[in-house]
């Protein structure tokens, strides 16, 4: 699936950087354009991969390039006032080549959350493509302002997008304040999951088309209807390819088939599907409430055991109680790992939101 990505605020821009990094590392090409906007000049300057001419500094009249520091009402007003500038990076971009927009933001601050909702709303008005949000919850679980910003911005982002991928940072880090290095690791983890999904839906040449390759429309169907989504992921190394003289000779004469024990591939896919769902979801939640799901298996073609994938699709249907679980694979001939990605859409609001509400109730400095 080809996407155009926006990052709003510091966390949003940094998540987009990691998506660009992941795309590069994979030697894939699923990002047709990337842009970042912020009210803090230094945070925009610190980006490396987002092109300079696609970085928009706004709110300078109000903050002089210093940011809103948690003032979401200020951020909302500035974003609404300068909405045209925020979308300028799309002006000369090949929007027709993109299947969807992805708008990323940390929801706890004054800039990213409110701005992401303004951008999403404008994009839906202007273009036919779906708009997906990536909403990073506040790391702090005790700060009333951050809690209330997270709740309000999430509500707005859900209502202005076709789905929001939630990321509950606080379920992963206990340290406070969180260092930029820790954020980099978390952002990279999120980008790997999102990138695996978008790259899987990026079918470029006829050669790539396997029997059951995931395409953009399957991702869109999984995410239709709106709401909140969570991503589960498991990655484990595959045994190295046959490096014996015979093996190398075979490949040299163009025979690229790999012989794989079917029980081994079935076991791996089964173990890893369970690990993806029972391990750390980007948004821990009751998976029984999901309305739709998608199972994506990535690895060397010989390991993508069709029976195993269907069996695990059935297991996922049982676990979620949903009959709408799609599946597909993403063959990567050079992969050295097998990965399983599980997308669950339309999940019920997780417990974290109730906890944030309790913290936010101590704060009524913001108005809707
Ligand atoms: N996952 C992740 N979270 C971050 C990162 N940076 C900040 N956060 C979290 O995201 C929330 C929003 O912070 P920022 O992105 O710095 O805020 P902003 O949108 O720039 O808004 P203001 O600076 O308040 O104007 C904070 O509550 C942090 O918990 C990051 O790089 N990764
Ligand atoms: Mg900021």
């Amino acid at each position: 699936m080809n996407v155009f990505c926006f990052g709003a605020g510091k966390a949003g821009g940094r998540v987009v950087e990691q998506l660009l990094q992941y795309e590069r590392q994979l030697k894939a090409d699923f990002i047709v354009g990337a842009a970042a906007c912020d009210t803090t000049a230094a945070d925009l300057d610190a980006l490396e991969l987002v092109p300079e001419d696609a970085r928009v500094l706004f709110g300078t009249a109000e903050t002089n390039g210093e940011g809103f520091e948690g003032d979401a009402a200020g951020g909302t007003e500035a974003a609404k006032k300068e909405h045209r500038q925020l979308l300028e990076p799309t002006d000369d971009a090949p929007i027709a080549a993109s299947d969807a927009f992805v708008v990323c933001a940390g929801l706890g601050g004054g800039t990213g959350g409110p701005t992401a909702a303004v951008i999403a709303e404008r994009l839906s008005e202007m273009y036919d493509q779906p708009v997906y949000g990536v909403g990073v919850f506040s790391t702090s679980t005790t700060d009333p302002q951050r809690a209330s910003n997270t709740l309000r911005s999430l509500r707005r982002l859900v209502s202005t997008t076709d789905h929001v991928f939630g990321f509950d940072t606080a379920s992963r880090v206990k340290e406070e304040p969180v260092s930029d290095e820790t954020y980099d690791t978390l952002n990279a983890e999120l980008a790997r999951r999102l990138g695996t999904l978008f790259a899987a839906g990026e079918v470029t040449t006829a050669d790539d088309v396997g029997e059951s390759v995931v395409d953009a429309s399957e991702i869109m169907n999984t995410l239709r209807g709106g709401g909140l989504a969570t991503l589960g992921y498991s990655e484990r190394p595959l045994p190295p390819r046959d490096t014996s003289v015979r093996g190398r000779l075979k490949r040299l004469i163009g025979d690229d088939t790999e012989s794989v024990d079917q029980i081994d591939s079935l076991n791996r896919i089964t173990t890893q599907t369970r690990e993806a769902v029972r391990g750390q979801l980007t948004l821990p939640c009751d998976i029984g409430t999901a309305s739709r799901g998608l199972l994506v298996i990535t690895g060397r073609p010989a390991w993508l055991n069709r029976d195993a994938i269907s069996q695990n699709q059935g297991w996922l249907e049982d676990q979620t109680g949903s009959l709408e679980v799609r599946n597909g694979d993403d063959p990567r001939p050079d992969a050295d790992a097998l990965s399983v990605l599980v997308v669950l859409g339309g999940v019920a609001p997780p417990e974290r939101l109730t906890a944030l509400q309790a913290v936010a109730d101590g704060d009524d400095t913001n108005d809707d």
Side-chain angles (χ1 to χ4, degrees), residues 84-115:
R84 276 195 193 81
Q85 286 91 305
L86 298 177
L87 261 66
E88 260 168 24
T90 58
D91 284 355
D92 299 313
I95 299 300
S98 80
D99 300 303
F101 290 99
V102 179
V103 187
C104 310
L107 303 177
T111 301
T115 306

Side-chain angles (χ1 to χ4, degrees), residues 102-171:
V102 179
V103 187
C104 310
L107 303 177
T111 301
T115 306
V118 170
I119 293 175
E121 195 166 22
R122 290 288 297 139
L123 288 173
S124 322
E125 284 163 11
M126 292 172 61
Y127 301 102
D128 292 333
Q129 287 93 331
V131 180
Y132 302 124
V134 175
V136 176
F137 292 14
S138 160
T139 315
S140 167
T141 50
T142 52
D143 180 329
Q145 188 192 40
R146 297 219 174 266
S148 119
N149 285 349
T150 298
L151 292 165
R152 285 164 203 264
S153 290
L154 182 62
R155 222 175 290 138
R156 290 198 190 110
L157 200 55
V158 167
S159 68
T160 50
T161 57
D162 293 274
H163 230 102
V164 173
F165 295 100
F167 188 54
D168 183 12
T169 318
S171 69

Side-chain angles (χ1 to χ4, degrees), residues 9-11 38-40 43 66-69 109-112:
K10 183 181 179 196
D38 203 344
T39 56
T40 305
D43 292 337
E66 301 285 334
F68 278 102
E69 294 182 358
T111 301

